[in-house]
Amino acid sequence: MITITAIMPIEVLLVEDNPGDAQLTRIALEESKISINLNVVEDGVEAMAFLRKQEKYARAAHPDIVLLDLNLPRKDGREVLAEIKGDENLKRIPVVILTTSQAEEDILKAYNLCANCYITKPVDFDQFVKIVQSIENFWFAIVKLPPE
């Protein structure tokens, strides 16, 4: 007897305050052969509420991965990263920094806060799509993500 198991979609939390970059990410991921459920929040406060399933996010799915911009309103990405990696219930979620900053200080701080990788967003549309698809190929097709 063969049992067919439904494959659950990969849950992605994108923390991005630029609507254009959020839309580009959505477009790039929609071309995927992998089932991906993309959730988008616009600032660090909303990101932490989502991750902790607070208020309007009480029924939010546990993300398999977080794509995190650094320069965010209300609570910046560095603070969000520190909170994620300092929280026993969240620290195993891979966090990919996806930001415009190329500053060495930002790169070092992100890795010191246990970011899983740091990627600088290209300004060119085709390159941006290629980067997002590379993230998808690596993190969703090659890497074994931790269970919830």
Side-chain angles (χ1 to χ4, degrees), residues 24-50:
L24 288 178
T25 303
R26 185 176 305 284
I27 290 168
L29 292 176
E30 282 175 352
E31 297 178 11
S32 175
K33 294 178 178 88
I34 301 167
S35 179
I36 297 170
N37 185 28
L38 181 65
N39 297 282
V40 181
V41 295
E42 297 179 354
D43 64 55
V45 172
E46 291 290 312
M48 293 314 300
F50 185 99

